[in-house]
């Protein structure tokens, strides 16, 4: 991404706990996508980004995130359980005034893919 490291990391922190609504690619159902982010802690586990105070001040030049995108069908007459829960591992590394972002999808559920996550983050930066 042609953006500074701190801008991309701050965008991910800002996206945590937000949602976006839109139609499925085939133009059919309305879906809501909830964005959740966790950061690697001691390279053994992930913790929610909002549970670490001053996270931006502790990150240096590389950070690993676990991004969870939950898709829920929007219906006016009833509540629908989540249709899919997509989990991605995202590594952001500083490279001068740009960032190298590597995305891997860890869930096997059909739905969103790494390009969708890239577009979501790229559009928010």
């Amino acid at each position: 991404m042609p953006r500074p490291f701190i801008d991309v990391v701050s965008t991910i922190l800002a996206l945590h706990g937000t949602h976006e609504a839109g139609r499925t690619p085939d133009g059919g159902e309305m879906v809501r996508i909830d964005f959740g982010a966790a950061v690697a802690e001691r390279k053994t586990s992930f913790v929610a980004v909002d549970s670490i105070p001053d996270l931006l001040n502790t990150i240096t030049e590389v950070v690993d995130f676990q991004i969870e995108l939950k898709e829920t069908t929007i219906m006016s007459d009833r509540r629908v359980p989540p249709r899919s829960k997509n989990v991605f591992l995202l590594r952001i590394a500083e490279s001068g005034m740009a960032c190298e972002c590597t995305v891997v999808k860890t869930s096997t559920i059909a739905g969103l893919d790494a390009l969708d996550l890239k577009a979501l983050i790229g559009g928010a930066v």
Side-chain angles (χ1 to χ4, degrees):
M1 282 190 180
R3 297 278 190 208
F5 176 78
I6 200 70
D7 289 353
V8 176
V9 173
S10 338
T11 299
I12 290 172
L13 297 180
L15 285 171
H16 176 69
T18 64
H19 69 273
E20 183 177 294
R23 293 212 175 268
T24 56
D26 60 4
E29 300 176 311
M30 283 289 295
V31 293
R32 171 183 163 147
I33 301 170
D34 293 295
F35 189 98
V39 64
E41 182 182 52
R42 295 188 192 102
K43 298 186 181 188
T44 58
S45 63
F46 289 94
V47 295
V49 294
D50 53 2
S51 68
I52 301 176
D54 290 336
L55 181 61
L56 280 177
N57 295 330
T58 60
I59 295 174
T60 54
E61 61 226 12
V62 176
V63 63
D64 294 318
F65 287 106
Q66 181 180 41
I67 306 295
E68 186 176 281
L69 301 177
K70 291 182 197 169
E71 289 182 283
T72 306
T73 303
I74 300 172
M75 308 207 76
S76 60
D77 57 342
R78 61 188 164 105
R79 287 188 64 98
V80 178
R83 55 186 262 151
S84 69
K85 180 175 147 183
N86 301 278
V87 180
F88 301 90
L89 296 178
L90 170 64
R91 171 169 273 199
I92 302 172
E94 186 174 24
S95 179
M97 288 305 290
C99 288
E100 292 181 20
C101 299
T102 307
V103 180
V104 175
K105 184 174 181 177
T106 61
S107 58
T108 57
I109 299 170
L112 299 171
D113 60 17
L115 292 175
D116 295 320
L117 178 62
K118 179 183 173 186
L120 181 66
I121 294 170
V125 175

